[in-house]
Amino acid sequence: MKRILFILLLSAFFSMTACTTTEKPSDALVSEAVQGTLTAMTASAETISANPEKTTPVEPQNTPTRRVIISSPPASSPTPKTSPTAKAAEVLADDLFSQNAGAFGIPNSFEDETIRMNLADGILTIEPKMMNGWRNWRLRPPEFSDGTVEAEFRFNTCKGSDQFGLVIRAANYADGNGYYCSISCNEEVQIRRDLDIIASARLPENLLKNDSMNRLTVSASEDLIEVFVNETKITEVRDAAYQQGFSGFFTAPTYQDTLSVALDRYKIIGGRYQPPQKI
């Protein structure tokens, strides 16, 4: 009887050991797995950092816009929001770039592999380095709903469908979603929701000035988005995808090293835009 009990206990011991023991991988397998991970990480980094070759591009036809984030929200207390039903005109921000562009996170200059920005004599010069619609944007507080954004700008140099424009109702600084309202060197105005064109129009002849500043104005009132150039309404759209958010400016060059924009003023006004009466 004792002999049978001893055999049963010994059998149970070996059964428990088999259930809880795992085979330790060999050094060769560990080395192979680590090398595969490093190779994948290196390939991904090279894909992100590689610059396109300097070639003469073909004008893109509504191709998806590549995005790059160049801005971080300035360190500050929580940003006040305007009421979605607010209509009274109120100046929420007025950047003259006389000393810095701190609200955009640019003390005096900024440069990375995709863009160069420099502040001097009250002018913020923006020179993107990429091409084929590579979009660089810069946002600033406050977050608002109904309101108007105005920028006084000039194309120093541009070519074809190189674009400069304003962003409104961007939900955050990270994903790039919002309304993008642009004017191009070939005098086309577009409104995009994210990447999709939802309105476009041509500028009237001789409206865009080459030797002095122009005013690009974007107004958002409930679901109505309007774009003005030099106080002339160019296009509009009704879209309710985004109700409020941050604003800013962006560039989307078609060609490499051809676009340079001078930004003289950036202003945010709460409430719907009321264009001056022309005499």
Side-chain angles (χ1 to χ4, degrees), residues 189-205:
V189 173
Q190 293 181 348
I191 302 176
R192 291 177 181 258
R193 184 204 315 112
D194 306 335
L195 299 178
D196 298 326
I197 299 174
I198 55 177
S200 64
R202 300 288 304 178
L203 287 178
E205 188 175 356

Side-chain angles (χ1 to χ4, degrees), residues 152-164:
E152 295 182 11
F153 80 99
R154 179 184 66 243
F155 285 120
N156 295 325
T157 59
C158 63
K159 183 178 179 180
S161 57
D162 287 349
Q163 294 180 345
F164 167 78

Side-chain angles (χ1 to χ4, degrees), residues 69-92:
I69 303 168
I70 60 170
S71 180
S72 297
S76 61
S77 57
T79 304
K81 301 177 182 179
T82 61
S83 167
T85 59
K87 296 296 182 181
E90 176 188 3
V91 176
L92 304 178

Side-chain angles (χ1 to χ4, degrees), residues 116-118 123-128 152-158 162-165 183 213 249-252 258-264:
R116 177 188 306 109
M117 291 183 282
N118 184 63
I123 300 292
L124 181 64
T125 302
I126 310 164
E127 297 176 338
E152 295 182 11
F153 80 99
R154 179 184 66 243
F155 285 120
N156 295 325
T157 59
C158 63
D162 287 349
Q163 294 180 345
F164 167 78
I183 182 171
M213 290 292 170
F249 59 84
F250 75 98
T251 56
T258 60
L259 180 59
S260 175
V261 179
L263 188 58
D264 187 35

